Amino acid sequence: MENIKMILSLTLICGLCGFLLASVRTLTEDRIEIQILTNVQMPAVTGVLESSDNNLLEDREKIRIGNEEITVFIGKKRGKIWALAFESEGSGFGGKLGVIIGIDIQREVLTGIGITTCAETPGIGMRIKEDNFRKRFKGKGITESIRLKTDNGVIDGISGATHSSRASCEAVGKGLTLYERIKSEVIK
């Protein structure tokens, strides 16, 4: 009888804790999203859509492509859409690598990339976050081979950080395969 009481008490406590945890997650979900947008994605988005004159945080849309929901930031000049930015992922040496990709929709070239999530090797691998590497993507056409030059592409990799450089190219390549669908959803 004593064991049954203990089991029922523990079950009740665990159920209550699970309910409270789920409730807190639901209540804070919107605040967490705003924090991620503001502190993780917006610095990269601002960098790749730097000549936009609109509020990039407010001018964003969530679209669904397949099972994936993608947040698209819309860059405007004088009220007209000139560029789009969205996040894509690659597989880096230390895990997932998040890359914001900016694309000029008129010229169909990359406006740049920004790294959002990165667990690469401190030192060499983290150099993919530096301007010197990221600027190598700016101005590249969306039909160009966004791969490392050692892989018959157009991007110079970072010596000693080939895997991280490749992951950046992989993320951009994945994003470019989605670009036309994203563009058609946003610009109707």
Side-chain angles (χ1 to χ4, degrees):
M1 185 69 165
E2 196 64 29
N3 285 341
I4 293 174
K5 283 183 181 180
M6 185 173 65
I7 290 171
L8 288 174
S9 295
L10 287 173
T11 302
L12 181 63
I13 290 169
C14 288
L16 182 61
C17 288
F19 173 75
L20 288 173
L21 189 59
S23 298
V24 168
R25 178 172 163 66
T26 301
L27 290 173
T28 59
E29 197 168 35
D30 291 338
R31 292 180 81 189
I32 291 170
E33 180 184 10
I34 292 296
Q35 290 300 315
I36 290 170
L37 284 169
T38 303
N39 298 315
V40 177
Q41 291 182 325
M42 284 312 295
V45 170
T46 304
V48 299
L49 300 180
E50 62 189 342
S51 61
S52 296
D53 57 17
N54 61 315
N55 184 328
L56 297 168
L57 188 58
E58 289 178 8
D59 288 336
R60 69 182 194 282
E61 285 186 28
K62 286 185 178 183
I63 62 169
R64 184 163 293 285
I65 296 180
N67 293 333
E68 189 176 1
E69 185 175 78
I70 300 172
T71 301
V72 181
F73 299 89
I74 302 167
K76 295 180 181 178
K77 290 181 184 176
R78 292 184 217 107
K80 295 190 181 199
I81 298 174
W82 77 277
L84 302 175
F86 54 93
E87 188 170 22
S88 184
E89 294 178 358
S91 298
F93 186 75
K96 182 182 95 162
L97 178 72
V99 177
I100 293 284
I101 304 161
I103 302 171
D104 181 325
I105 63 172
Q106 312 302 335
R107 297 177 30 228
E108 299 219 318
V109 297
L110 295 172
T111 61
I113 67 164
I115 309 298
T116 56
T117 54
C118 179
E120 299 305 284
T121 307
I124 293 177
M126 293 300 272
R127 288 177 51 206
I128 61 171
K129 295 177 88 173
E130 295 174 2
D131 286 342
N132 187 38
F133 176 69
R134 293 183 298 113
K135 72 180 181 184
R136 298 174 191 182
F137 292 84
K138 189 172 185 172
K140 300 292 186 220
I142 63 169
T143 59
E144 289 186 58
S145 178
I146 306 296
R147 291 193 308 260
L148 297 180
K149 285 186 176 179
T150 57
D151 299 329
N152 299 316
V154 295
I155 303 296
D156 279 323
I158 297 171
S159 181
T162 305
H163 198 79
S164 302
S165 301
R166 236 181 225 122
S168 299
C169 291
E170 174 192 349
V172 173
K174 283 181 181 178
L176 290 177
T177 62
L178 298 174
Y179 168 66
E180 287 301 328
R181 288 188 275 171
I182 290 171
K183 181 179 171 185
S184 66
E185 286 288 322
V186 173
I187 303 169
K188 296 176 184 175

